[in-house]
Amino acid sequence: MEQKEREHLIHTAQKYLDEALLRIVVSNPVGKEGISKVKIRPLRLKGDVVFQAEELIGNQAFHKNLSAMECADYLADLLEDKLRQMELDSNKGQLRVLVGKKGTLSIKEKRQQPKMEAASFVPEHNRQKSYILEEGIRVPFLVDLGVMTEEGKIVRSRYDKFRQINRFLEFIEDILPKLHSDKENVIIDFGCGKSYLTFAMYYYLHELKGYPIRIIGLDLKQTVIDKCNQLKEEYGYHKLNFYHGDIASYEGVDHVDMVVTLHACDTATDYALFKAVNWGASVILSVPCCQHELNRQMKNDLMAPIFQYGIVKERMAALYTDALRAEILENQGYRTQILEFVDMEHTPKNILIRGVKQGEKKDNQNEMRKIMESLNCNLTLPRLFTEKEV
């Protein structure tokens, strides 16, 4: 592209870089590597209109905000050696740009009168949603776990994970008064897996809030444990340790302040809840998974026509199981809530059970017994507590 063509392109594009802009799409990459497409839209940020560019590179998306002048230069740079085609739509008109194989530039412009007030086209920046971990601030463990870029931008394909982590930290924020500010809090994460949320807990409670904590992550996959221990050393998270172990048999501590169990499969959740109550944990956060036990057992003549539909029976079993778990925690002196952890559109396994120890036990044993009799079931968690009492 010659200098005169570049200047003409910049001048033409600037006429459309205002709040009347609808969208810009720059595509048709020159090579197989690098940027494959760029989408640009106007945003209102702190009262000013800026232009957010979304660069698609492989399976990742990167974002940057630009002024009108910066955006015009940016478009010229893209079309000079990276992409060959641009389509701009505005309330003022359309602009189509093609770059030939020899770098020749073709610009087609169609102007039109505005159809409505331009300002109505500009959305508020979606970052007005307040997150505990803010986009734009680099968090090392999020970078290594592939959720965030080195510049602090959220990877587009991992945005649901970013929202999930922040949602989890909101649940922890609510129970901060239950944690000690003057002595060490022991926290255990059963079935920690790749430990997105374990690292998030440590970062939030220790690095951001300054709470004295010790966090233990437990999982059955040795390779995962090894990787997590390597990362925690790199971050200098000295009060965070990961161990290979089983929920039911773990005896590494005699006192715990908070127990977290995320997606522990089937009855593993029950053993984790039983452990938490026996330790006298002040807080329990549990996201159950794969409630097969009740699904296998439950029978009811009245409900038989409904239970014949496998997916319906499976989901009812999951809901019944978690509701009974919540009631059992109430019976053990915990005020318990069942909360939405992530949107149903992302996963049907979206329930979090939060129990906060209050001391007064709910007298609900007869009701629970009748419910389980009606479902023809003998579940692990109530059995564990019954056997303990015997």
Side-chain angles (χ1 to χ4, degrees):
M1 185 188 305
E2 294 183 358
Q3 183 63 28
K4 287 185 178 181
E5 290 181 319
R6 179 186 174 90
E7 291 174 357
H8 177 51
L9 173 61
I10 290 174
H11 175 73
T12 306
Q14 282 180 330
K15 293 187 293 185
Y16 296 93
L17 292 172
D18 56 23
E19 57 191 13
L21 179 71
L22 298 174
R23 70 189 66 82
I24 301 173
V25 178
V26 193
S27 58
N28 194 0
V30 173
K32 295 182 179 180
E33 302 294 332
I35 299 173
S36 60
K37 182 182 287 188
V38 174
K39 299 176 184 179
I40 297 174
R41 61 174 182 145
L43 291 172
R44 194 177 300 280
L45 183 61
K46 297 181 180 179
D48 297 322
V49 175
V50 298
F51 301 89
Q52 185 180 81
E54 180 188 74
E55 297 179 350
L56 300 179
I57 303 176
N59 294 323
Q60 295 186 336
F62 303 91
H63 298 82
K64 62 176 73 175
N65 293 333
L66 306 165
S67 67
M69 186 175 295
E70 289 171 338
C71 188
D73 284 330
Y74 174 69
L75 290 171
D77 290 340
L78 289 173
L79 291 166
E80 191 154 29
D81 57 8
K82 297 179 180 67
L83 303 168
R84 294 194 182 98
Q85 180 176 326
M86 183 180 85
E87 297 180 358
L88 181 153
D89 292 303
S90 166
N91 196 39
K92 294 180 178 179
Q94 294 84 40
L95 188 65
R96 302 291 182 264
V97 180
L98 294 174
V99 180
K101 291 183 179 180
K102 296 183 179 180
T104 55
L105 203 65
S106 171
I107 299 177
K108 294 182 179 180
E109 183 179 9
K110 183 180 179 181
R111 302 278 289 181
Q112 64 188 42
Q113 292 297 317
K115 296 179 181 178
M116 58 191 299
E117 289 297 320
S120 65
F121 286 94
V122 183
E124 293 292 326
H125 195 295
N126 60 9
R127 281 195 294 172
Q128 287 186 346
K129 162 67 178 173
S130 177
Y131 288 119
I132 290 176
L133 302 182
E134 298 179 27
E135 183 173 0
I137 299 177
R138 184 183 183 277
V139 181
F141 77 88
L142 289 181
V143 174
D144 285 333
L145 294 172
V147 175
M148 182 179 281
T149 69
E150 288 288 347
E151 294 75 30
K153 301 295 184 182
I154 305 305
V155 177
R156 184 186 183 191
S157 62
R158 308 310 298 274
Y159 206 87
D160 288 343
K161 179 62 69 175
F162 176 70
R163 290 177 60 235
Q164 182 192 52
I165 290 170
N166 276 283
R167 179 65 172 148
F168 179 69
L169 293 181
E170 289 172 7
F171 292 132
I172 293 180
E173 186 175 45
D174 291 343
I175 55 85
L176 286 180
K178 294 295 178 181
L179 299 181
H180 308 294
S181 60
D182 55 350
K183 65 177 182 178
E184 186 176 76
N185 298 276
V186 178
I187 301 171
I188 290 188
D189 184 353
F190 282 123
C192 59
K194 293 182 179 179
S195 302
Y196 294 91
L197 301 179
T198 322
F199 284 114
M201 273 195 295
Y202 190 96
Y203 180 82
Y204 174 65
L205 290 172
H206 189 267
E207 304 295 305
L208 295 185
K209 291 296 184 179
Y211 276 80
I213 59 171
R214 174 190 172 204
I215 298 183
I216 298 166
L218 192 72
D219 200 271
L220 289 171
K221 296 180 181 178
Q222 186 63 56
T223 55
V224 170
I225 293 299
D226 292 342
K227 178 62 176 177
C228 291
N229 276 321
Q230 176 190 333
L231 290 175
K232 72 99 178 180
E233 290 294 336
E234 293 177 8
Y235 307 146
Y237 291 179
H238 302 302
K239 289 292 186 174
L240 173 59
N241 292 285
F242 297 92
Y243 300 103
H244 177 268
D246 162 89
I247 291 174
S249 61
Y250 183 71
E251 300 291 344
V253 293
D254 55 12
H255 168 77
V256 176
D257 296 284
M258 183 163 77
V259 170
V260 177
T261 169
L262 303 170
H263 300 126
C265 189
D266 202 15
T267 58
T269 292
D270 299 307
Y271 286 104
L273 296 177
F274 182 67
K275 288 272 191 180
V277 173
N278 285 340
W279 279 322
S282 299
V283 178
I284 300 171
L285 299 176
S286 176
V287 178
C289 178
C290 306
Q291 296 89 332
H292 299 308
E293 185 181 41
L294 179 56
N295 191 29
R296 288 192 298 267
Q297 294 181 20
M298 72 177 187
K299 295 178 183 178
N300 181 288
D301 292 340
L302 179 64
M303 302 293 285
I306 293 175
F307 288 170
Q308 70 175 314
Y309 302 105
I311 190 170
V312 173
K313 184 183 178 188
E314 178 185 348
R315 292 188 180 179
M316 291 178 71
L319 291 171
Y320 288 160
T321 300
D322 292 336
L324 285 166
R325 285 166 171 163
E327 281 297 295
I328 291 166
L329 290 179
E330 290 273 351
N331 177 258
Q332 295 297 316
Y334 288 82
R335 297 290 73 81
T336 308
Q337 298 169 286
I338 293 181
L339 305 164
E340 186 179 65
F341 183 32
V342 291
D343 295 339
M344 182 65 87
E345 66 182 276
H346 300 302
T347 173
K349 301 169 183 176
N350 68 334
I351 280 178
L352 181 140
I353 302 172
R354 181 170 68 191
V356 177
K357 191 171 180 62
Q358 299 289 348
E360 184 179 347
K361 296 184 177 183
K362 183 177 180 180
D363 184 10
N364 58 4
Q365 291 162 301
N366 287 334
E367 289 89 343
M368 286 191 295
R369 179 178 52 79
K370 290 177 182 179
I371 290 170
M372 287 188 286
E373 285 177 355
S374 72
L375 294 173
N376 191 41
C377 66
N378 181 20
L379 299 181
T380 295
L381 188 57
R383 190 171 67 249
L384 288 173
F385 283 109
T386 301
E387 291 172 353
K388 178 187 174 184
E389 291 170 2
V390 174

